[in-house]
Amino acid sequence: MSFIDEFRSGNFSLYGQWCGLLSIVSLILFAFIPPINLIWSIIAWVIAFLLVFIEVPLCLKCCPTSAKFDNFLHSFQNSYFRAAAYLVFAILMWIAIKSTILQVVSALLLTGAAVSYTIAAVRHQTPASSSITGGTGVSTIV
């Protein structure tokens, strides 16, 4: 399944994953910018670290992790849990914002992922991994 086919599929778990991937990039990049406060940067790095393992299934296979951490991450295969996690992450980012537009972008992407995963959960759409991350676009996550 190509990127265009994924976009047309109407699978909101894919849209949530795309928002999640974009939020990972924005959190990592914007945490380096000097005017942003230290607390926001630390929160951004922690969230980005967790999201990499949640959204990119290949990382679980490549990186040595403990069984406890693997079990924790496998609980996020459910769209409801992903939506809840993204909502918590988005709330943390909204609270930590200190009037920088870059911080707002990251918070909006996290909120968009939370909304997408919530819609996917309500519609009972199975979680799928995007072809961008090595998935097939329709198969369930590893």
Side-chain angles (χ1 to χ4, degrees):
M1 182 176 252
S2 71
F3 179 75
I4 301 298
D5 292 335
E6 289 177 3
F7 184 73
R8 292 179 185 159
S9 72
N11 189 340
F12 279 87
S13 67
L14 287 173
Y15 304 154
Q17 186 177 29
W18 294 336
C19 285
L21 293 172
L22 290 173
S23 67
I24 291 168
V25 172
S26 71
L27 289 168
I28 291 171
L29 289 178
F30 300 157
F32 281 121
I33 297 175
I36 296 179
N37 64 357
L38 181 64
I39 294 171
W40 189 91
S41 296
I42 291 170
I43 293 170
W45 273 99
V46 170
I47 290 172
F49 172 78
L50 289 173
L51 290 180
V52 165
F53 284 100
I54 290 172
E55 291 298 349
V56 185
L58 183 63
C59 289
L60 285 176
K61 293 181 179 180
C62 296
C63 300
T65 56
S66 69
K68 195 177 210 179
F69 187 69
D70 289 346
N71 289 336
F72 170 72
L73 290 178
H74 282 295
S75 66
F76 291 102
Q77 288 184 356
N78 183 337
S79 292
Y80 286 110
F81 289 124
R82 282 188 183 217
Y86 273 103
L87 182 62
V88 168
F89 295 156
I91 289 170
L92 285 172
M93 288 291 104
W94 284 113
I95 290 171
I97 287 177
K98 298 289 185 190
S99 73
T100 304
I101 192 69
L102 300 177
Q103 294 172 327
V104 173
V105 169
S106 297
L108 281 173
L109 286 168
L110 290 168
T111 304
V115 169
S116 295
Y117 278 122
T118 301
I119 293 170
V122 169
R123 290 185 172 185
H124 303 290
Q125 294 176 338
T126 59
S129 58
S130 176
S131 59
I132 296 172
T133 61
T136 60
V138 292
S139 65
T140 57
I141 297 173
V142 178

